[in-house]
Amino acid sequence: MTAALGLASCEFRIALRNRWVAIVIAMMTLFALVLSAAGSAPTGELGADSLSVTVASLTSLAVYLVPLVGLLMAFDAVAGEVERGTLPLLLTYPVSRARLLLGKALAHLATLALALAIGYGSAAAAAFAVDPEAAGGLPALVRLFWSSLLLGASFLGIGYALSAIARRPGAAAGLAIGLWLVLIVLYDLGLLAAVVADAGGVFTTHVFPWLLLANPADAFRIFNLASSEATAAAAGVGGAAGSIPAWQALASVALWPLVAFALALLAFRKVTP
Amino acid sequence: MSSLKLSTVTKTFGRHTALDRVGLTVGAGERVALLGHNGAGKSTLMKIVLGLIPADGGSVEVLGAAPGSGAARAQVAYLPENAAFHPSLTGEEQMALYLRLRGAPASQARPLLDRVGLGDAARRRIGTYSKGMRQRVGLAQALIGRPRLLVLDEPTSGLDPVSRREFYAILEELAADGAAILLSSHALTEVEARTDRIVILSKGRVVADDTLAGLRRNAGLPTRIHVAARPGAADDVARELRAGRRNGVMVDLVCPPDEKLSRLGRVAELGHLVEDVEVVPPSLEDIYDHYSRRTQA
Ligand SMILES: Nc1ncnc2c1ncn2[C@@H]1O[C@H](COP(=O)(O)OP(=O)(O)O)[C@@H](O)[C@H]1O
Ligand SMILES: [Mg+2]
C-alpha cells in the first residue's frame, strides 16, 4: 500500500506543477458560481430552499463536467508513461499493475474531490447568502458530492482503459473526447429520439429504463433527481425516467467505478513495453 | 548456482529473429558484458530477463524464479537504455518514489544521489538534467535495496570518461558484495578490463563467451611489430626481415601470435641496424570485429 500511496503523492505533485489541479478547481468553481447565480432568482414558486435549487442545477452541470474532467485527467495515465519511456522501468518494480493504476486513481480522485468541494462549496455559500433556510438542502448537497466522486471514478477508469488501448497521448485524448460526446451528449439524444418514435411502446417501458441505468452519467442524474423532490424541476431525460427507483440508480453509480477499473486493468495488462 | 541462466532463448518479431537459441549464465559476484552492434538483440534479451516481454522458446531462470515474477522483481534492478523520468519531478522526488515502490525509506534518496554524484542537482527538476545526469539517476535507482542481479542496458552511454570510471568503481563494489551484473555495450573499449566475462551477440546469436584474455587468444589475430631502423639502414632491415618498408626508417612486420617471439629474436640479431622496436597487439576493435563478423561467413 505504501507503493500506491507513494505513487499517488507523486502524481498529485505532478498534477499541481502541471496546473491540472488549478485548472480543474477553477473550472468547477466558475461553472458552479455561474449556475447558482442564474438559479438563485425564482425560488418561491417551487417551494424549495435555494440550496436545493442550486443542487438541482449543479446536478445537471456535474453530468457534463465531472465525466469530462475525469477523462481529461486520465487519458495520459498509461499513454504518457509509454511516450515518455518511463513505463518499462516502472514495470520492473515489484508492484502489480493494479497497484500502479490505483496509485494514479487516488491522486486523480483527490484532485477531483478538492475541486468538487471548492466548487460545490462556493455554490452552497452563495445559496446561504441569499436564503437563511438553505440548510434544508444540505443532505442533497452531500449526496451530490459523493455521487459525483463515484461518477468521476467511473470516468477515470474508462479514461485509463482508453489510455492503455491507445498507447499514444494524442490518440488517447481523441478517444476520450469522442467517448464523452457519445456517452454524455449523443446517448441521451438517441434515447429521447427512440422514446418519441416508440410512443409509449415496449421500448419505452421495458428497454429504456435499463439503457438509462447502463450509462453511469444517466444513472447519476436519476439517482440525484429521484432522491430529491425539488430537483425534478431540472429534469431532462429524467422526466421520462421517473419509474426507476433510486436504489437501482445508486447500484449503477456504485458499480460502474469497479467495472471501469476492471476494464482499465484488462487493457493495461495487454500493454507490453 | 548461477544468478541468471538462459538456455536456447529464441525471440522473433514477425519474420525477424531477434534472438536465436541464446544461452548464457551470470554467477553471483560476476560482471558479464553483453556486446553487440545496434540491433544485435541486447535490449531484447534484457527485456526477456526482466519479464517485460515473453520469449518464444527456451528457458530463463532469474535467481531461481521465473522472469518478471514477484520474487524475481524484488531482487532485480534495471537500468533501461536511455533512462527517462518525469520531467516535472526533482531527482530527489523521483528517487523517493522509486524507494517507496520497493518498500524502502524515502530518506535514502539523498545518500543514493550523492553516491552517483548528483547530490548538488537533487533539488532540481529532471527536465533540466543532461543525458549523463539522467543516466546517473537511472543508476541510483538501480542501487536501491541491495539487488542481487543488475541488468544495465548501455549504462555508460552519455557518460564522460571520468564518470565512466566512477560508474565501474560502483559496479566493482556491487560485485564484491555478491551481486550478479549483466551490462550491455556496443563497444569493447568501454568495458574491457572492468568486466569478468564478455559475451558477444551478433544478429541474435552468441558468437563468443570468454574472458578478454581468452577472446584475444582464441581470435589468433596477427601481432604487428614496428621496427625503427638506423638512418639509411631501412632497406637492409626490410630485406633481412623479409618485410615491407613504411618509410625511410620504419619497417612493419605482421605475424601470427605464436611466431611473435621468433620474429623478435630475428630483430634482435640485427642489433646494430635497429634503433627501436614496438610490439602492437591486436586492438580491442580488431578482436570485436573478428568475432562479430564471423557469423556472416
Ligand atoms: N518491439 C519490437 N518490434 C519489432 N522489432 C523489434 C522490437 N524490438 C526489437 N526489435 C528488433 O529486434 C532487433 C534487436 O533489437 P534490440 O534488442 O533493441 O537490439 P540492441 O539493443 O542490441 O541494439 C532489432 O532488429 C530490432 O529492430
Ligand atoms: Mg539496445
Side-chain angles (χ1 to χ4, degrees), chain B residues 219-240:
Chain B
L221 290 177
T223 300
R224 284 167 198 283
I225 303 174
H226 298 316
V227 183
R230 292 258 151 122
D235 284 331
D236 292 343
V237 171
R239 194 171 348 98
E240 286 295 322

Side-chain angles (χ1 to χ4, degrees), chain B residues 6-285:
Chain B
L6 278 78
S7 54
T8 62
V9 170
T10 297
K11 177 77 190 176
T12 54
F13 292 109
R15 294 169 61 197
H16 175 79
T17 303
L19 294 176
D20 188 4
R21 287 161 288 154
V22 168
L24 91 92
T25 61
V26 185
E30 196 180 21
R31 292 162 299 172
V32 173
L34 188 62
L35 238 60
H37 294 302
N38 291 327
K42 306 180 297 291
S43 300
T44 303
L45 186 150
M46 292 184 156
K47 285 183 177 170
I48 288 174
V49 167
L50 294 157
L52 290 175
I53 55 175
D56 296 331
S59 69
V60 183
E61 201 178 288
V62 180
L63 301 158
S69 63
R73 281 197 280 171
Q75 303 182 78
V76 178
Y78 175 44
L79 171 57
E81 190 175 12
N82 305 319
F85 306 97
H86 203 292
S88 310
L89 295 174
T90 67
E92 198 168 14
E93 288 162 354
Q94 181 71 75
M95 281 301 294
L97 171 62
Y98 286 132
L99 283 159
R100 293 178 77 175
L101 291 181
R102 286 212 184 269
S107 58
Q108 284 175 13
R110 201 52 196 262
L112 280 169
L113 288 171
D114 283 336
R115 186 162 174 206
V116 298
L118 268 185
D120 292 338
R123 295 264 159 84
R124 267 167 48 198
R125 296 204 187 165
I126 298 180
T128 68
Y129 284 15
S130 69
K131 179 169 192 293
M133 291 167 82
R134 287 199 301 274
Q135 205 72 9
R136 285 158 186 262
V137 177
L139 177 61
Q141 63 80 32
L143 300 177
I144 294 171
R146 202 166 172 261
R148 296 293 81 199
L149 171 68
L150 287 97
V151 178
L152 314 171
D153 200 350
E154 311 217 1
T156 54
S157 72
L159 293 188
D160 56 81
V162 176
S163 315
R164 197 182 299 163
R165 197 165 321 135
E166 289 167 0
F167 167 80
Y168 277 106
I170 292 177
L171 286 199
E172 202 157 318
E173 286 172 35
L174 292 168
D177 183 38
I181 299 170
L182 179 69
L183 69 129
S184 72
S185 175
H186 52 256
L188 187 49
T189 43
E190 287 206 357
V191 297
E192 42 170 326
R194 290 109 165 188
T195 53
D196 303 303
R197 201 147 47 79
I198 291 164
V199 176
I200 299 180
L201 209 55
S202 175
K203 301 199 170 154
R205 293 225 195 121
V206 173
V207 293
D209 183 345
D210 208 337
T211 59
L212 182 60
L215 290 178
R216 206 185 271 285
R217 200 174 334 109
N218 292 333
L221 290 177
T223 300
R224 284 167 198 283
I225 303 174
H226 298 316
V227 183
R230 292 258 151 122
D235 284 331
D236 292 343
V237 171
R239 194 171 348 98
E240 286 295 322
L241 297 174
R242 282 184 307 263
R245 186 166 63 86
R246 201 194 321 156
N247 57 33
V249 277
M250 296 301 298
V251 175
D252 286 359
L253 283 176
V254 178
C255 68
D258 51 346
E259 284 177 25
K260 188 168 65 182
L261 282 178
S262 63
R263 297 305 280 272
L264 280 173
R266 293 276 300 133
V267 173
E269 284 168 18
L270 299 174
H272 56 288
L273 294 175
V274 173
E275 182 126 342
D276 196 11
V277 180
E278 195 186 5
V279 178
V280 185
S283 73
L284 295 169
E285 276 91 356

Side-chain angles (χ1 to χ4, degrees), chain A residues 229-259:
Chain A
E229 300 301 311
T231 49
V237 171
S243 59
I244 299 174
W247 71 265
Q248 284 182 5
L250 176 61
S252 169
V253 170
L255 278 176
W256 255 106
L258 300 179
V259 173

Side-chain angles (χ1 to χ4, degrees), chain A residues 2-250:
Chain A
T2 46
L5 286 177
L7 205 69
S9 74
C10 251
E11 283 289 329
F12 190 73
R13 187 171 284 141
I14 290 169
L16 271 178
R17 295 209 175 132
N18 294 350
R19 314 263 189 286
W20 257 117
V21 176
I23 290 169
V24 173
I25 290 174
M27 212 150 87
M28 277 293 170
T29 312
L30 184 71
F31 276 98
L33 284 178
V34 167
L35 270 192
S36 68
S40 64
T43 55
E45 312 129 46
L46 291 169
D49 61 276
S50 74
L51 183 55
S52 295
V53 175
T54 298
V55 167
S57 328
L58 287 177
T59 303
S60 314
L61 167 74
V63 167
Y64 289 92
L65 211 49
V66 170
L68 185 65
V69 165
L71 288 169
L72 286 181
M73 284 197 292
F75 80 84
D76 195 53
V78 178
E81 301 269 359
V82 171
E83 183 173 76
R84 280 192 301 278
T86 47
L87 190 60
L89 180 58
L90 199 55
L91 292 180
T92 63
Y93 273 76
V95 180
S96 68
R97 295 194 185 204
R99 285 278 160 80
L100 292 179
L101 276 188
L102 183 67
K104 289 185 180 258
L106 285 177
H108 293 150
L109 275 178
T111 306
L112 186 62
L114 197 63
L116 288 174
I118 294 175
Y120 292 176
S122 15
F128 272 100
V130 296
D131 180 5
E133 306 289 296
L138 272 181
L141 185 72
V142 169
R143 189 167 52 231
L144 179 68
F145 176 75
W146 61 255
S147 59
S148 293
L149 266 185
L150 286 174
L151 179 65
S154 303
F155 280 86
L156 281 174
I158 292 170
Y160 299 147
L162 294 179
S163 188
I165 290 166
R167 288 174 210 192
R168 287 201 321 276
L175 280 181
I177 297 296
L179 189 91
W180 180 81
L181 276 175
V182 169
L183 276 188
I184 308 301
V185 183
L186 298 181
Y187 195 90
D188 284 6
L189 288 179
L191 285 191
L192 273 183
V195 166
V196 170
D198 185 50
V202 178
F203 175 82
T204 309
T205 51
H206 286 89
V207 183
F208 173 67
W210 290 108
L211 287 177
L212 278 182
L213 283 175
N215 185 327
D218 283 323
F220 164 84
R221 176 166 24 211
I222 293 163
F223 170 63
N224 280 290
L225 292 181
S227 308
S228 166
E229 300 301 311
T231 49
V237 171
S243 59
I244 299 174
W247 71 265
Q248 284 182 5
L250 176 61

